[in-house]
Each structure stands twice: as structure tokens, then as C-alpha cells.
Amino acid sequence: MPDSIVLLLDTSIGVVGITKRKLLIGIATLPYLTKKEFESILFHEFAHFKSLDNVIGSTLMKTTLSVRDTVVASAYIPTILGLLIHIVLKIFCYIYAASTLLYSRQREYLADCIAASFVGGNTFGAALDKYVKTSRKFDLEIDHIIRHFARQNRALKNIYNAQRGLKV
């Protein structure tokens, strides 16, 4: 079980934490999901906890950010040697990023399999499809809605209701 559940203002759902396990739930897609669909997605996230993906994923993310920051810093070494170091680090960064992406995709596939084994492949597939579509729709529309209200100099009271009801 997670140590805490964190509600987010966006559409993301995931697990994080090395010492404290957190389940992150974006509230923007919740009104569109049925209880069974939401449970299906939770099975997927709990499969990540079971496989300790929250620990490995958090560590890989922190390492990736450190490698990226090192590459950026190496660009400021004002010598030929600095340029060579920067190029080698940049190549390493791309290889590291590609390998972590491949690892991540494998972990997602395994979590999908575990969730599907509990709720059924069709149920999980439908839930995942609906979550992805509503999440994508929200992410694409929300900036336009904010700009629409800002141009009219109007206050946005509930961004989620505005996204469901406003046609921009």
C-alpha cells in the first residue's frame, strides 16, 4: 500500500518514492472514468508498487536529471578538451536515456499484464484507452481555455467544468 495518496491538478496517474511510496492521481480525468475503469488503472499502479518500480523509476529519473545537468554544464568548458568532454557526455546521455526508456516501456508492459490478469484484458484495455483519450483531450484543450478566459478578462472558477462545457 502507498504511504500517501497525492491528488494532482492535471491528468497524470503514477507512483513515486524511494523511502515513502506515493500514489499520484490527477483529478482531471476522474469524472470521465467509471468506478471499474478507475479500479483497472489502480491495479496497474499497484503492480508498479509490487515490482518496486517506484524505487527504481525514481532513482533512474534522478540519475537522468543529473546526467543531463552534467552535459549542460560541460558545454561551458571553454577549451577543445571541454568540447570533447561535452561531446562524449552528450553521446552517453543519449544512450542512457534510450536504455532507461526501453526499461520503462518494459515495466509498463508488465504492469499492464498484471492489471489485465486481475480485471480482464478487455476491461483494462477499455479503461486505458478511455484514460489516454480523456487525458490527451484535457492536455490539448486546457491552454486554449485559459487563454480564452484571459482574453475576456474573466475569472476561471473551475477549470475542469470549463473544459467539459466550453467549446473554444
Side-chain angles (χ1 to χ4, degrees):
M1 295 300 290
D3 296 308
S4 63
I5 298 173
V6 180
L7 297 179
L8 304 172
L9 300 175
D10 61 9
T11 60
S12 58
I13 297 177
V15 298
V16 296
I18 295 174
T19 57
K20 297 282 187 181
R21 298 169 6 147
K22 294 180 184 177
L23 174 62
L24 309 175
I25 300 175
I27 62 173
T29 54
L30 292 184
Y32 300 102
L33 300 174
T34 66
K35 181 181 175 192
K36 189 70 173 170
E37 290 166 340
F38 184 56
E39 286 174 354
S40 297
I41 291 169
L42 288 179
F43 268 109
H44 172 92
E45 298 308 328
F46 278 91
H48 284 303
F49 278 135
K50 177 85 171 117
S51 301
L52 297 177
D53 293 338
N54 54 306
V55 174
I56 297 165
S58 293
T59 304
L60 285 175
M61 182 56 70
K62 288 178 182 182
T63 305
T64 301
L65 293 174
S66 296
V67 169
R68 186 200 64 199
D69 292 347
T70 303
V71 170
V72 170
S74 71
Y76 295 102
I77 302 172
T79 63
I80 296 296
L81 180 60
L83 177 63
L84 291 173
I85 291 170
H86 176 71
I87 291 170
V88 169
L89 286 174
K90 195 164 199 163
I91 291 169
F92 173 77
C93 184
Y94 283 122
I95 293 169
Y96 185 80
S99 62
T100 57
L101 180 63
L102 289 172
Y103 173 80
S104 171
R105 295 302 94 206
Q106 176 199 24
R107 303 312 301 171
E108 289 300 325
Y109 175 76
L110 291 173
D112 288 347
C113 290
I114 291 170
S117 72
F118 278 97
V119 298
N122 290 336
T123 302
F124 178 70
L128 188 60
D129 183 59
K130 191 174 190 181
Y131 167 74
V132 168
K133 286 178 180 173
T134 56
S135 172
R136 177 96 172 119
K137 183 179 184 292
F138 181 85
D139 292 343
L140 287 173
E141 293 176 350
I142 206 63
D143 288 339
H144 299 293
I145 292 169
I146 291 169
R147 280 194 287 278
H148 174 78
F149 274 83
R151 277 193 297 268
Q152 294 180 358
N153 205 22
R154 292 174 46 206
L156 186 56
K157 294 180 185 172
N158 185 320
I159 201 164
Y160 310 107
N161 286 341
Q163 189 262 340
R164 281 192 292 275
L166 185 65
K167 302 293 180 228
V168 178

